[in-house]
Amino acid sequence: VVSKHADGVSIWDGHAGDLSLFLATTDRINAFAMAGDQLLTFTSSEAVVWNMSSGERLRRLEGSGARSVAQSVAVSVGGEVVIACLASLSWAGLVSTWTESWDVNTGRRLHTESLPLVN
């Protein structure tokens, strides 16, 4: 079981209810997803793949961040690809939206697609 907090995520033992691991981040986590034994966290500055057993930071997803906010995140059935719907915000409101996908094992960006703004 995973729960997010302002300063990181907690990974809990679902059977015992005990805290197994806490992964601290410097930015607020907007979204997260699980892919096998890996956890993906999305903040406004970067997306990171973590090992959920050891807490080791494995890799940063290529090109992630740039003051974007993850609205939603999904992982492929095999856990090899993650796709995120992202938005860029300014003081005036929503600026742009797009989707990006990455190879979870390498961190390499696979595709970017702009989305139309809806009023």
Side-chain angles (χ1 to χ4, degrees):
V1 177
V2 178
S3 59
K4 73 175 188 160
H5 311 279
D7 58 346
V9 291
S10 295
I11 300 171
W12 302 86
D13 180 323
H15 296 290
D18 298 328
L19 178 64
S20 299
L21 192 62
F22 181 78
L23 304 173
T25 59
T26 56
D27 290 335
R28 184 178 152 265
I29 293 176
N30 298 314
F32 67 87
M34 295 185 299
D37 66 346
Q38 300 178 110
L39 176 71
L40 297 96
T41 58
F42 289 78
T43 69
S44 60
S45 62
E46 66 181 349
V48 176
V49 180
W50 305 82
N51 178 304
M52 283 199 299
S53 299
S54 68
E56 177 187 6
R57 179 183 164 130
L58 299 175
R59 70 194 63 82
R60 181 179 187 271
L61 297 181
E62 177 182 284
S64 62
R67 293 287 161 222
S68 61
V69 176
Q71 302 296 309
S72 60
V73 178
V75 178
S76 66
V77 173
E80 293 146 358
V81 175
V82 62
I83 187 167
C85 181
L86 303 159
S88 176
L89 306 170
S90 76
W91 62 272
L94 189 61
V95 175
S96 62
T97 59
W98 67 99
T99 62
E100 289 191 22
S101 61
W102 294 270
D103 180 312
V104 173
N105 296 314
T106 66
R108 186 175 61 87
R109 184 172 27 204
L110 301 173
H111 186 73
T112 300
E113 180 79 27
S114 293
L115 300 172
L117 290 176
V118 179
N119 293 332

